[in-house]
């Protein structure tokens, strides 16, 4: 990503967190595949904590993350 694209991503991430806080949402949750190291690194870099494994309706496992606001 270019510097401008990274800045836009940061702005959007912060905007979403601000909207959630204003709505009284206590945390944001996300999940990703175990083999998606880039996403895992990005989530951890942005304050998300690995919470464990979740399973989709079809039984597929995902790593669950949460960011407390």
């Amino acid at each position: 990503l270019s510097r401008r694209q990274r800045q836009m991503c940061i702005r959007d991430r912060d905007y979403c967190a601000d909207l959630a806080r204003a709505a009284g949402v206590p945390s944001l949750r996300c999940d990703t595949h175990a083999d998606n190291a880039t996403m895992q690194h990005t989530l951890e870099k942005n304050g998300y904590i690995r919470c464990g494994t979740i399973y989709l309706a079809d039984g597929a496992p995902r790593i669950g993350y949460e960011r407390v606001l």
Side-chain angles (χ1 to χ4, degrees):
L1 294 174
S2 70
R3 181 176 183 202
R4 183 173 182 273
Q5 288 171 319
R6 286 191 302 272
Q7 290 172 334
M8 289 172 61
C9 289
I10 290 167
R11 185 194 66 212
D12 291 349
R13 177 203 66 205
D14 293 344
Y15 177 71
C16 289
D18 290 343
L19 282 177
R21 266 190 223 97
V25 175
S27 65
L28 299 174
R29 295 180 181 173
C30 186
D31 63 82
T32 187
H33 293 273
D35 60 351
N36 191 343
T38 301
M39 180 66 159
Q40 293 171 44
H41 172 76
T42 300
L43 289 170
E44 291 169 7
K45 182 179 173 184
N46 287 286
Y48 284 80
I49 305 298
R50 186 184 297 226
C51 297
T53 303
I54 65 163
Y55 296 91
L56 302 180
D58 66 0
R62 298 289 186 270
I63 300 172
Y65 285 87
E66 181 175 33
R67 178 181 172 196
V68 176
L69 302 174

